[in-house]
Structures are given as structure tokens and as C-alpha cells.
Amino acid sequence: MPHFVDTSPAGECIFCRLAAREIPSAIVHEDDLTIAFMDIGQVNPGHVLVATRRHADNLLELTDAEAAAVMQTARHIALAAQKAFPSAGLTLLQANGAEGGQTVRHFHMHVVPRHANDGIELTWPRKEPGAAVLADYALKLKSALALPPAPSKD
């Protein structure tokens, strides 16, 4: 992950300022809910960030409409990147919170064309807790899904 960390307050973060045209950027796409721009720390040509236009710190603060719009924009960017910068693979990466690897507290998704030996490593320890533990995890999630949803910001 990059070493840059934006510690600006909500509404004044680098992506809010970028969306407001207060700082320069190479914008690729924008609509009512999203803005897509070239990542200044390009891993591979075509590395784009898709962010919400409205400031939301993370995935949990998005509306359903914003979440859908980000994925739709990311797909459009991925299709364009494949034409402009043909690659063998593609990684979509979205991080939440410092512990999750988020470096700018404004929801965004990386769209990264991938090539063999490009230096990106996405690894984690495989724990395999067993069928009974997985069934318990699934039950807890199903119970949480059955709870009334939080009020929507839509």
C-alpha cells in the first residue's frame, strides 16, 4: 500500500478538494454520484480511483445508490482500461479504516490493470476454521441480515 496518508477532516480531504476542482487531477469520468481519476501513485498504466462525489468515510457510510454507482463506474473504467491498456488481469481494491489499509478517509475503489510480476501482492493467512465454525459465522451473519436495516440516506 502507498505511504501517503491523508489526515484532513471530512469534507476537506484530498478527494473532496479534487471533486470540487480545488486541486488539479486527471479526471476520467464523472456523474452525479461518482468521480473517477488517475491515481497519482500509478502502479500500472490505467490505475484509476473511483470515488463517491459526496464525502463518505467508508463503505458503511454509503447509500445504496452510491454503492451501486461506484461499482457501475468501476466496471465502465475497467472495460475502458482493458481497451486502452490491455492487461492479463484486473484488481478492484477497496479498503476501509486504517486497519483495512485505507489511506484517504473518503470512500474510493482502485481499478488496477494487472500484469505478471507487477509488484502487487495481495496475500493473507489462510486459517480454515472448520465447517462448524463457518456454519456459526453464517448463522450470525444471517441473524444480522434479518435485523431491520439502518435508515437509508437515499
Side-chain angles (χ1 to χ4, degrees):
M1 294 300 281
H3 296 288
F4 171 81
V5 176
D6 183 5
T7 58
S8 304
E12 297 177 25
C13 74
I14 193 168
F15 294 166
C16 287
R17 294 179 60 216
L18 185 149
R21 303 292 201 282
E22 294 173 5
I23 57 176
S25 63
I27 295 173
V28 175
H29 168 85
E30 55 188 322
D31 57 40
D32 290 342
L33 298 176
T34 67
I35 185 165
F37 49 93
M38 303 307 297
D39 189 322
I40 197 168
Q42 289 284 293
V43 173
N44 291 319
H47 180 177
V48 172
L49 299 180
V50 178
T52 52
R53 186 168 289 286
R54 178 185 71 86
H55 182 89
D57 275 5
N58 57 51
L59 177 68
L60 303 176
E61 293 184 5
L62 296 185
T63 65
D64 288 347
E66 288 169 328
V70 166
M71 185 54 77
Q72 189 171 40
T73 297
R75 181 177 177 275
H76 289 305
I77 297 299
L79 291 168
Q82 188 60 34
K83 289 178 185 173
F85 306 101
S87 62
L90 175 82
T91 294
L92 295 180
L93 176 68
Q94 198 284 308
N96 289 272
E99 291 79 6
Q102 186 177 13
T103 59
V104 177
R105 285 187 356 247
H106 183 124
F107 180 86
H108 64 284
M109 179 177 287
H110 293 257
V111 179
V112 187
R114 297 295 307 277
H115 306 279
N117 303 312
D118 63 9
I120 298 175
E121 294 185 21
L122 304 173
T123 63
W124 53 79
R126 188 176 165 119
K127 298 183 179 173
E128 299 186 33
V133 173
L134 292 177
D136 183 54
Y137 292 168
L139 183 60
K140 287 179 180 177
L141 284 169
K142 287 179 185 178
S143 295
L145 286 169
L147 295 173
S152 177
K153 296 179 182 178
D154 285 336

PDB file of all heavy atoms in Angstrom, residues 35-74:
ATOM      1  N   ILE A  35     -16.917  10.088  -9.155  1.00  0.00           N
ATOM      2  CA  ILE A  35     -15.866  10.738  -9.927  1.00  0.00           C
ATOM      3  C   ILE A  35     -14.714   9.742 -10.033  1.00  0.00           C
ATOM      4  O   ILE A  35     -14.392   9.056  -9.056  1.00  0.00           O
ATOM      5  CB  ILE A  35     -15.433  12.076  -9.296  1.00  0.00           C
ATOM      6  CG1 ILE A  35     -14.420  12.793 -10.190  1.00  0.00           C
ATOM      7  CG2 ILE A  35     -14.940  11.896  -7.867  1.00  0.00           C
ATOM      8  CD1 ILE A  35     -14.207  14.262  -9.831  1.00  0.00           C
ATOM      9  N   ALA A  36     -14.154   9.601 -11.223  1.00  0.00           N
ATOM     10  CA  ALA A  36     -13.049   8.663 -11.451  1.00  0.00           C
ATOM     11  C   ALA A  36     -11.866   9.455 -11.984  1.00  0.00           C
ATOM     12  O   ALA A  36     -12.012  10.274 -12.889  1.00  0.00           O
ATOM     13  CB  ALA A  36     -13.473   7.584 -12.441  1.00  0.00           C
ATOM     14  N   PHE A  37     -10.692   9.203 -11.424  1.00  0.00           N
ATOM     15  CA  PHE A  37      -9.498   9.954 -11.793  1.00  0.00           C
ATOM     16  C   PHE A  37      -8.264   9.060 -11.686  1.00  0.00           C
ATOM     17  O   PHE A  37      -8.271   8.055 -10.970  1.00  0.00           O
ATOM     18  CB  PHE A  37      -9.348  11.200 -10.914  1.00  0.00           C
ATOM     19  CG  PHE A  37      -9.502  10.926  -9.437  1.00  0.00           C
ATOM     20  CD1 PHE A  37      -8.401  10.652  -8.648  1.00  0.00           C
ATOM     21  CD2 PHE A  37     -10.760  10.929  -8.853  1.00  0.00           C
ATOM     22  CE1 PHE A  37      -8.542  10.386  -7.295  1.00  0.00           C
ATOM     23  CE2 PHE A  37     -10.924  10.666  -7.501  1.00  0.00           C
ATOM     24  CZ  PHE A  37      -9.807  10.396  -6.721  1.00  0.00           C
ATOM     25  N   MET A  38      -7.236   9.459 -12.397  1.00  0.00           N
ATOM     26  CA  MET A  38      -5.993   8.700 -12.384  1.00  0.00           C
ATOM     27  C   MET A  38      -5.369   8.768 -10.997  1.00  0.00           C
ATOM     28  O   MET A  38      -5.310   9.835 -10.394  1.00  0.00           O
ATOM     29  CB  MET A  38      -4.998   9.231 -13.421  1.00  0.00           C
ATOM     30  CG  MET A  38      -5.505   9.250 -14.853  1.00  0.00           C
ATOM     31  SD  MET A  38      -6.154   7.678 -15.467  1.00  0.00           S
ATOM     32  CE  MET A  38      -4.703   6.650 -15.408  1.00  0.00           C
ATOM     33  N   ASP A  39      -4.922   7.622 -10.497  1.00  0.00           N
ATOM     34  CA  ASP A  39      -4.215   7.589  -9.222  1.00  0.00           C
ATOM     35  C   ASP A  39      -2.846   8.213  -9.422  1.00  0.00           C
ATOM     36  O   ASP A  39      -2.119   7.822 -10.344  1.00  0.00           O
ATOM     37  CB  ASP A  39      -4.078   6.148  -8.724  1.00  0.00           C
ATOM     38  CG  ASP A  39      -3.556   6.051  -7.303  1.00  0.00           C
ATOM     39  OD1 ASP A  39      -2.681   6.855  -6.927  1.00  0.00           O
ATOM     40  OD2 ASP A  39      -4.011   5.158  -6.573  1.00  0.00           O
ATOM     41  N   ILE A  40      -2.493   9.175  -8.600  1.00  0.00           N
ATOM     42  CA  ILE A  40      -1.202   9.845  -8.729  1.00  0.00           C
ATOM     43  C   ILE A  40      -0.048   8.859  -8.487  1.00  0.00           C
ATOM     44  O   ILE A  40       1.052   9.048  -8.967  1.00  0.00           O
ATOM     45  CB  ILE A  40      -1.119  11.072  -7.791  1.00  0.00           C
ATOM     46  CG1 ILE A  40       0.016  11.982  -8.214  1.00  0.00           C
ATOM     47  CG2 ILE A  40      -1.017  10.656  -6.335  1.00  0.00           C
ATOM     48  CD1 ILE A  40      -0.011  13.338  -7.548  1.00  0.00           C
ATOM     49  N   GLY A  41      -0.328   7.788  -7.754  1.00  0.00           N
ATOM     50  CA  GLY A  41       0.681   6.757  -7.482  1.00  0.00           C
ATOM     51  C   GLY A  41       0.470   5.548  -8.373  1.00  0.00           C
ATOM     52  O   GLY A  41       0.323   4.434  -7.874  1.00  0.00           O
ATOM     53  N   GLN A  42       0.443   5.757  -9.694  1.00  0.00           N
ATOM     54  CA  GLN A  42       0.183   4.694 -10.666  1.00  0.00           C
ATOM     55  C   GLN A  42       1.010   3.439 -10.378  1.00  0.00           C
ATOM     56  O   GLN A  42       2.226   3.500 -10.321  1.00  0.00           O
ATOM     57  CB  GLN A  42       0.526   5.167 -12.080  1.00  0.00           C
ATOM     58  CG  GLN A  42      -0.413   6.190 -12.656  1.00  0.00           C
ATOM     59  CD  GLN A  42      -1.720   5.573 -13.099  1.00  0.00           C
ATOM     60  OE1 GLN A  42      -1.766   4.790 -14.032  1.00  0.00           O
ATOM     61  NE2 GLN A  42      -2.785   5.925 -12.416  1.00  0.00           N
ATOM     62  N   VAL A  43       0.338   2.317 -10.211  1.00  0.00           N
ATOM     63  CA  VAL A  43       1.017   1.026 -10.113  1.00  0.00           C
ATOM     64  C   VAL A  43       1.303   0.534 -11.523  1.00  0.00           C
ATOM     65  O   VAL A  43       2.418   0.158 -11.855  1.00  0.00           O
ATOM     66  CB  VAL A  43       0.154   0.000  -9.351  1.00  0.00           C
ATOM     67  CG1 VAL A  43       0.788  -1.374  -9.400  1.00  0.00           C
ATOM     68  CG2 VAL A  43      -0.061   0.452  -7.918  1.00  0.00           C
ATOM     69  N   ASN A  44       0.281   0.542 -12.352  1.00  0.00           N
ATOM     70  CA  ASN A  44       0.368   0.170 -13.763  1.00  0.00           C
ATOM     71  C   ASN A  44      -0.410   1.220 -14.551  1.00  0.00           C
ATOM     72  O   ASN A  44      -1.341   1.825 -14.018  1.00  0.00           O
ATOM     73  CB  ASN A  44      -0.256  -1.211 -14.002  1.00  0.00           C
ATOM     74  CG  ASN A  44       0.556  -2.333 -13.393  1.00  0.00           C
ATOM     75  OD1 ASN A  44       1.778  -2.331 -13.462  1.00  0.00           O
ATOM     76  ND2 ASN A  44      -0.121  -3.299 -12.788  1.00  0.00           N
ATOM     77  N   PRO A  45      -0.071   1.435 -15.817  1.00  0.00           N
ATOM     78  CA  PRO A  45      -0.853   2.380 -16.626  1.00  0.00           C
ATOM     79  C   PRO A  45      -2.342   2.010 -16.600  1.00  0.00           C
ATOM     80  O   PRO A  45      -2.704   0.845 -16.746  1.00  0.00           O
ATOM     81  CB  PRO A  45      -0.265   2.209 -18.025  1.00  0.00           C
ATOM     82  CG  PRO A  45       1.141   1.756 -17.785  1.00  0.00           C
ATOM     83  CD  PRO A  45       1.049   0.855 -16.576  1.00  0.00           C
ATOM     84  N   GLY A  46      -3.172   3.006 -16.368  1.00  0.00           N
ATOM     85  CA  GLY A  46      -4.606   2.778 -16.302  1.00  0.00           C
ATOM     86  C   GLY A  46      -5.135   2.631 -14.885  1.00  0.00           C
ATOM     87  O   GLY A  46      -6.324   2.394 -14.692  1.00  0.00           O
ATOM     88  N   HIS A  47      -4.293   2.791 -13.874  1.00  0.00           N
ATOM     89  CA  HIS A  47      -4.708   2.702 -12.466  1.00  0.00           C
ATOM     90  C   HIS A  47      -5.577   3.913 -12.137  1.00  0.00           C
ATOM     91  O   HIS A  47      -5.119   5.043 -12.133  1.00  0.00           O
ATOM     92  CB  HIS A  47      -3.456   2.656 -11.586  1.00  0.00           C
ATOM     93  CG  HIS A  47      -3.725   2.563 -10.119  1.00  0.00           C
ATOM     94  ND1 HIS A  47      -2.695   2.444  -9.220  1.00  0.00           N
ATOM     95  CD2 HIS A  47      -4.855   2.583  -9.377  1.00  0.00           C
ATOM     96  CE1 HIS A  47      -3.181   2.395  -7.994  1.00  0.00           C
ATOM     97  NE2 HIS A  47      -4.506   2.482  -8.075  1.00  0.00           N
ATOM     98  N   VAL A  48      -6.855   3.660 -11.878  1.00  0.00           N
ATOM     99  CA  VAL A  48      -7.847   4.711 -11.657  1.00  0.00           C
ATOM    100  C   VAL A  48      -8.492   4.546 -10.290  1.00  0.00           C
ATOM    101  O   VAL A  48      -8.703   3.424  -9.828  1.00  0.00           O
ATOM    102  CB  VAL A  48      -8.937   4.657 -12.758  1.00  0.00           C
ATOM    103  CG1 VAL A  48     -10.087   5.608 -12.470  1.00  0.00           C
ATOM    104  CG2 VAL A  48      -8.329   4.947 -14.124  1.00  0.00           C
ATOM    105  N   LEU A  49      -8.821   5.666  -9.666  1.00  0.00           N
ATOM    106  CA  LEU A  49      -9.602   5.657  -8.428  1.00  0.00           C
ATOM    107  C   LEU A  49     -11.017   6.090  -8.763  1.00  0.00           C
ATOM    108  O   LEU A  49     -11.225   7.084  -9.467  1.00  0.00           O
ATOM    109  CB  LEU A  49      -9.008   6.611  -7.398  1.00  0.00           C
ATOM    110  CG  LEU A  49      -7.587   6.330  -6.948  1.00  0.00           C
ATOM    111  CD1 LEU A  49      -7.145   7.357  -5.917  1.00  0.00           C
ATOM    112  CD2 LEU A  49      -7.448   4.931  -6.422  1.00  0.00           C
ATOM    113  N   VAL A  50     -11.989   5.343  -8.274  1.00  0.00           N
ATOM    114  CA  VAL A  50     -13.401   5.698  -8.405  1.00  0.00           C
ATOM    115  C   VAL A  50     -13.872   6.068  -7.008  1.00  0.00           C
ATOM    116  O   VAL A  50     -13.827   5.239  -6.100  1.00  0.00           O
ATOM    117  CB  VAL A  50     -14.239   4.530  -8.964  1.00  0.00           C
ATOM    118  CG1 VAL A  50     -15.708   4.922  -9.041  1.00  0.00           C
ATOM    119  CG2 VAL A  50     -13.713   4.091 -10.327  1.00  0.00           C
ATOM    120  N   ALA A  51     -14.303   7.306  -6.824  1.00  0.00           N
ATOM    121  CA  ALA A  51     -14.718   7.802  -5.514  1.00  0.00           C
ATOM    122  C   ALA A  51     -16.155   8.309  -5.576  1.00  0.00           C
ATOM    123  O   ALA A  51     -16.659   8.653  -6.643  1.00  0.00           O
ATOM    124  CB  ALA A  51     -13.794   8.933  -5.060  1.00  0.00           C
ATOM    125  N   THR A  52     -16.768   8.366  -4.422  1.00  0.00           N
ATOM    126  CA  THR A  52     -18.081   8.993  -4.342  1.00  0.00           C
ATOM    127  C   THR A  52     -17.881  10.501  -4.424  1.00  0.00           C
ATOM    128  O   THR A  52     -16.883  11.044  -3.955  1.00  0.00           O
ATOM    129  CB  THR A  52     -18.780   8.652  -3.012  1.00  0.00           C
ATOM    130  OG1 THR A  52     -17.908   8.958  -1.921  1.00  0.00           O
ATOM    131  CG2 THR A  52     -19.186   7.194  -2.973  1.00  0.00           C
ATOM    132  N   ARG A  53     -18.820  11.164  -5.052  1.00  0.00           N
ATOM    133  CA  ARG A  53     -18.749  12.627  -5.132  1.00  0.00           C
ATOM    134  C   ARG A  53     -18.985  13.210  -3.734  1.00  0.00           C
ATOM    135  O   ARG A  53     -18.280  14.113  -3.300  1.00  0.00           O
ATOM    136  CB  ARG A  53     -19.808  13.126  -6.115  1.00  0.00           C
ATOM    137  CG  ARG A  53     -19.709  14.601  -6.366  1.00  0.00           C
ATOM    138  CD  ARG A  53     -20.559  15.024  -7.535  1.00  0.00           C
ATOM    139  NE  ARG A  53     -20.038  14.584  -8.809  1.00  0.00           N
ATOM    140  CZ  ARG A  53     -18.977  15.108  -9.425  1.00  0.00           C
ATOM    141  NH1 ARG A  53     -18.302  16.069  -8.853  1.00  0.00           N
ATOM    142  NH2 ARG A  53     -18.589  14.672 -10.585  1.00  0.00           N
ATOM    143  N   ARG A  54     -19.975  12.691  -3.034  1.00  0.00           N
ATOM    144  CA  ARG A  54     -20.269  13.127  -1.658  1.00  0.00           C
ATOM    145  C   ARG A  54     -19.240  12.500  -0.722  1.00  0.00           C
ATOM    146  O   ARG A  54     -18.851  11.353  -0.897  1.00  0.00           O
ATOM    147  CB  ARG A  54     -21.676  12.662  -1.265  1.00  0.00           C
ATOM    148  CG  ARG A  54     -22.086  13.014   0.163  1.00  0.00           C
ATOM    149  CD  ARG A  54     -23.443  12.413   0.506  1.00  0.00           C
ATOM    150  NE  ARG A  54     -23.397  10.972   0.649  1.00  0.00           N
ATOM    151  CZ  ARG A  54     -23.073  10.329   1.768  1.00  0.00           C
ATOM    152  NH1 ARG A  54     -22.737  10.979   2.862  1.00  0.00           N
ATOM    153  NH2 ARG A  54     -23.083   8.996   1.795  1.00  0.00           N
ATOM    154  N   HIS A  55     -18.809  13.230   0.280  1.00  0.00           N
ATOM    155  CA  HIS A  55     -17.861  12.656   1.233  1.00  0.00           C
ATOM    156  C   HIS A  55     -18.555  11.601   2.086  1.00  0.00           C
ATOM    157  O   HIS A  55     -19.572  11.856   2.712  1.00  0.00           O
ATOM    158  CB  HIS A  55     -17.249  13.717   2.151  1.00  0.00           C
ATOM    159  CG  HIS A  55     -16.239  13.114   3.076  1.00  0.00           C
ATOM    160  ND1 HIS A  55     -14.914  12.996   2.726  1.00  0.00           N
ATOM    161  CD2 HIS A  55     -16.371  12.539   4.293  1.00  0.00           C
ATOM    162  CE1 HIS A  55     -14.269  12.387   3.708  1.00  0.00           C
ATOM    163  NE2 HIS A  55     -15.141  12.096   4.667  1.00  0.00           N
ATOM    164  N   ALA A  56     -17.998  10.422   2.081  1.00  0.00           N
ATOM    165  CA  ALA A  56     -18.362   9.333   2.978  1.00  0.00           C
ATOM    166  C   ALA A  56     -17.045   8.684   3.354  1.00  0.00           C
ATOM    167  O   ALA A  56     -16.240   8.374   2.474  1.00  0.00           O
ATOM    168  CB  ALA A  56     -19.285   8.336   2.289  1.00  0.00           C
ATOM    169  N   ASP A  57     -16.797   8.511   4.629  1.00  0.00           N
ATOM    170  CA  ASP A  57     -15.512   7.956   5.056  1.00  0.00           C
ATOM    171  C   ASP A  57     -15.258   6.564   4.499  1.00  0.00           C
ATOM    172  O   ASP A  57     -14.132   6.233   4.136  1.00  0.00           O
ATOM    173  CB  ASP A  57     -15.429   7.880   6.581  1.00  0.00           C
ATOM    174  CG  ASP A  57     -14.978   9.173   7.226  1.00  0.00           C
ATOM    175  OD1 ASP A  57     -14.804  10.186   6.522  1.00  0.00           O
ATOM    176  OD2 ASP A  57     -14.792   9.165   8.463  1.00  0.00           O
ATOM    177  N   ASN A  58     -16.305   5.735   4.454  1.00  0.00           N
ATOM    178  CA  ASN A  58     -16.091   4.333   4.087  1.00  0.00           C
ATOM    179  C   ASN A  58     -17.372   3.697   3.555  1.00  0.00           C
ATOM    180  O   ASN A  58     -18.407   4.354   3.471  1.00  0.00           O
ATOM    181  CB  ASN A  58     -15.548   3.552   5.296  1.00  0.00           C
ATOM    182  CG  ASN A  58     -16.475   3.657   6.494  1.00  0.00           C
ATOM    183  OD1 ASN A  58     -17.669   3.421   6.385  1.00  0.00           O
ATOM    184  ND2 ASN A  58     -15.930   4.029   7.642  1.00  0.00           N
ATOM    185  N   LEU A  59     -17.283   2.430   3.236  1.00  0.00           N
ATOM    186  CA  LEU A  59     -18.398   1.675   2.664  1.00  0.00           C
ATOM    187  C   LEU A  59     -19.650   1.745   3.536  1.00  0.00           C
ATOM    188  O   LEU A  59     -20.767   1.834   3.028  1.00  0.00           O
ATOM    189  CB  LEU A  59     -17.975   0.213   2.472  1.00  0.00           C
ATOM    190  CG  LEU A  59     -19.021  -0.751   1.950  1.00  0.00           C
ATOM    191  CD1 LEU A  59     -19.368  -0.414   0.506  1.00  0.00           C
ATOM    192  CD2 LEU A  59     -18.542  -2.183   2.061  1.00  0.00           C
ATOM    193  N   LEU A  60     -19.477   1.729   4.840  1.00  0.00           N
ATOM    194  CA  LEU A  60     -20.611   1.709   5.749  1.00  0.00           C
ATOM    195  C   LEU A  60     -21.400   3.014   5.738  1.00  0.00           C
ATOM    196  O   LEU A  60     -22.542   3.053   6.187  1.00  0.00           O
ATOM    197  CB  LEU A  60     -20.140   1.393   7.171  1.00  0.00           C
ATOM    198  CG  LEU A  60     -19.383   0.072   7.314  1.00  0.00           C
ATOM    199  CD1 LEU A  60     -18.880  -0.107   8.738  1.00  0.00           C
ATOM    200  CD2 LEU A  60     -20.230  -1.102   6.871  1.00  0.00           C
ATOM    201  N   GLU A  61     -20.814   4.074   5.210  1.00  0.00           N
ATOM    202  CA  GLU A  61     -21.484   5.375   5.161  1.00  0.00           C
ATOM    203  C   GLU A  61     -22.135   5.671   3.812  1.00  0.00           C
ATOM    204  O   GLU A  61     -22.734   6.725   3.635  1.00  0.00           O
ATOM    205  CB  GLU A  61     -20.486   6.486   5.515  1.00  0.00           C
ATOM    206  CG  GLU A  61     -20.020   6.418   6.956  1.00  0.00           C
ATOM    207  CD  GLU A  61     -19.106   7.557   7.342  1.00  0.00           C
ATOM    208  OE1 GLU A  61     -18.889   8.476   6.519  1.00  0.00           O
ATOM    209  OE2 GLU A  61     -18.605   7.535   8.479  1.00  0.00           O
ATOM    210  N   LEU A  62     -22.021   4.758   2.856  1.00  0.00           N
ATOM    211  CA  LEU A  62     -22.616   4.973   1.533  1.00  0.00           C
ATOM    212  C   LEU A  62     -24.105   4.700   1.543  1.00  0.00           C
ATOM    213  O   LEU A  62     -24.592   3.859   2.301  1.00  0.00           O
ATOM    214  CB  LEU A  62     -21.980   4.039   0.500  1.00  0.00           C
ATOM    215  CG  LEU A  62     -20.506   4.201   0.184  1.00  0.00           C
ATOM    216  CD1 LEU A  62     -20.130   3.268  -0.953  1.00  0.00           C
ATOM    217  CD2 LEU A  62     -20.164   5.631  -0.165  1.00  0.00           C
ATOM    218  N   THR A  63     -24.801   5.357   0.662  1.00  0.00           N
ATOM    219  CA  THR A  63     -26.188   4.983   0.395  1.00  0.00           C
ATOM    220  C   THR A  63     -26.162   3.793  -0.563  1.00  0.00           C
ATOM    221  O   THR A  63     -25.133   3.519  -1.204  1.00  0.00           O
ATOM    222  CB  THR A  63     -26.960   6.146  -0.270  1.00  0.00           C
ATOM    223  OG1 THR A  63     -26.390   6.386  -1.565  1.00  0.00           O
ATOM    224  CG2 THR A  63     -26.922   7.409   0.571  1.00  0.00           C
ATOM    225  N   ASP A  64     -27.274   3.110  -0.682  1.00  0.00           N
ATOM    226  CA  ASP A  64     -27.342   2.007  -1.648  1.00  0.00           C
ATOM    227  C   ASP A  64     -27.086   2.516  -3.059  1.00  0.00           C
ATOM    228  O   ASP A  64     -26.403   1.863  -3.849  1.00  0.00           O
ATOM    229  CB  ASP A  64     -28.709   1.319  -1.580  1.00  0.00           C
ATOM    230  CG  ASP A  64     -28.900   0.484  -0.325  1.00  0.00           C
ATOM    231  OD1 ASP A  64     -27.900   0.223   0.391  1.00  0.00           O
ATOM    232  OD2 ASP A  64     -30.048   0.093  -0.052  1.00  0.00           O
ATOM    233  N   ALA A  65     -27.615   3.697  -3.367  1.00  0.00           N
ATOM    234  CA  ALA A  65     -27.433   4.264  -4.711  1.00  0.00           C
ATOM    235  C   ALA A  65     -25.961   4.577  -4.976  1.00  0.00           C
ATOM    236  O   ALA A  65     -25.457   4.331  -6.076  1.00  0.00           O
ATOM    237  CB  ALA A  65     -28.288   5.520  -4.877  1.00  0.00           C
ATOM    238  N   GLU A  66     -25.257   5.115  -3.988  1.00  0.00           N
ATOM    239  CA  GLU A  66     -23.833   5.413  -4.161  1.00  0.00           C
ATOM    240  C   GLU A  66     -23.023   4.128  -4.336  1.00  0.00           C
ATOM    241  O   GLU A  66     -22.136   4.068  -5.188  1.00  0.00           O
ATOM    242  CB  GLU A  66     -23.297   6.199  -2.963  1.00  0.00           C
ATOM    243  CG  GLU A  66     -23.784   7.630  -2.925  1.00  0.00           C
ATOM    244  CD  GLU A  66     -23.482   8.332  -1.614  1.00  0.00           C
ATOM    245  OE1 GLU A  66     -23.469   7.660  -0.550  1.00  0.00           O
ATOM    246  OE2 GLU A  66     -23.274   9.557  -1.656  1.00  0.00           O
ATOM    247  N   ALA A  67     -23.333   3.125  -3.542  1.00  0.00           N
ATOM    248  CA  ALA A  67     -22.611   1.853  -3.648  1.00  0.00           C
ATOM    249  C   ALA A  67     -22.790   1.255  -5.042  1.00  0.00           C
ATOM    250  O   ALA A  67     -21.823   0.792  -5.660  1.00  0.00           O
ATOM    251  CB  ALA A  67     -23.084   0.877  -2.573  1.00  0.00           C
ATOM    252  N   ALA A  68     -24.008   1.272  -5.545  1.00  0.00           N
ATOM    253  CA  ALA A  68     -24.276   0.738  -6.883  1.00  0.00           C
ATOM    254  C   ALA A  68     -23.570   1.568  -7.952  1.00  0.00           C
ATOM    255  O   ALA A  68     -22.983   1.027  -8.895  1.00  0.00           O
ATOM    256  CB  ALA A  68     -25.788   0.699  -7.140  1.00  0.00           C
ATOM    257  N   ALA A  69     -23.598   2.880  -7.791  1.00  0.00           N
ATOM    258  CA  ALA A  69     -22.977   3.765  -8.780  1.00  0.00           C
ATOM    259  C   ALA A  69     -21.473   3.561  -8.833  1.00  0.00           C
ATOM    260  O   ALA A  69     -20.881   3.564  -9.923  1.00  0.00           O
ATOM    261  CB  ALA A  69     -23.308   5.218  -8.462  1.00  0.00           C
ATOM    262  N   VAL A  70     -20.822   3.379  -7.683  1.00  0.00           N
ATOM    263  CA  VAL A  70     -19.375   3.157  -7.671  1.00  0.00           C
ATOM    264  C   VAL A  70     -19.032   1.873  -8.423  1.00  0.00           C
ATOM    265  O   VAL A  70     -18.109   1.860  -9.243  1.00  0.00           O
ATOM    266  CB  VAL A  70     -18.825   3.114  -6.230  1.00  0.00           C
ATOM    267  CG1 VAL A  70     -17.414   2.548  -6.198  1.00  0.00           C
ATOM    268  CG2 VAL A  70     -18.848   4.500  -5.617  1.00  0.00           C
ATOM    269  N   MET A  71     -19.775   0.814  -8.192  1.00  0.00           N
ATOM    270  CA  MET A  71     -19.466  -0.443  -8.884  1.00  0.00           C
ATOM    271  C   MET A  71     -19.732  -0.320 -10.381  1.00  0.00           C
ATOM    272  O   MET A  71     -18.955  -0.819 -11.196  1.00  0.00           O
ATOM    273  CB  MET A  71     -20.270  -1.598  -8.295  1.00  0.00           C
ATOM    274  CG  MET A  71     -19.905  -2.937  -8.901  1.00  0.00           C
ATOM    275  SD  MET A  71     -18.141  -3.350  -8.851  1.00  0.00           S
ATOM    276  CE  MET A  71     -17.975  -3.825  -7.147  1.00  0.00           C
ATOM    277  N   GLN A  72     -20.788   0.375 -10.746  1.00  0.00           N
ATOM    278  CA  GLN A  72     -21.082   0.566 -12.167  1.00  0.00           C
ATOM    279  C   GLN A  72     -19.982   1.392 -12.838  1.00  0.00           C
ATOM    280  O   GLN A  72     -19.499   1.045 -13.920  1.00  0.00           O
ATOM    281  CB  GLN A  72     -22.439   1.244 -12.339  1.00  0.00           C
ATOM    282  CG  GLN A  72     -22.902   1.290 -13.774  1.00  0.00           C
ATOM    283  CD  GLN A  72     -24.335   1.764 -13.878  1.00  0.00           C
ATOM    284  OE1 GLN A  72     -24.758   2.670 -13.165  1.00  0.00           O
ATOM    285  NE2 GLN A  72     -25.086   1.158 -14.774  1.00  0.00           N
ATOM    286  N   THR A  73     -19.544   2.452 -12.187  1.00  0.00           N
ATOM    287  CA  THR A  73     -18.461   3.264 -12.739  1.00  0.00           C
ATOM    288  C   THR A  73     -17.172   2.451 -12.809  1.00  0.00           C
ATOM    289  O   THR A  73     -16.444   2.516 -13.808  1.00  0.00           O
ATOM    290  CB  THR A  73     -18.257   4.547 -11.915  1.00  0.00           C
ATOM    291  OG1 THR A  73     -19.454   5.336 -11.991  1.00  0.00           O
ATOM    292  CG2 THR A  73     -17.083   5.358 -12.418  1.00  0.00           C
ATOM    293  N   ALA A  74     -16.873   1.688 -11.762  1.00  0.00           N
ATOM    294  CA  ALA A  74     -15.657   0.858 -11.762  1.00  0.00           C
ATOM    295  C   ALA A  74     -15.673  -0.120 -12.937  1.00  0.00           C
ATOM    296  O   ALA A  74     -14.648  -0.328 -13.601  1.00  0.00           O
ATOM    297  CB  ALA A  74     -15.526   0.106 -10.445  1.00  0.00           C
TER     298      ALA A  74
END
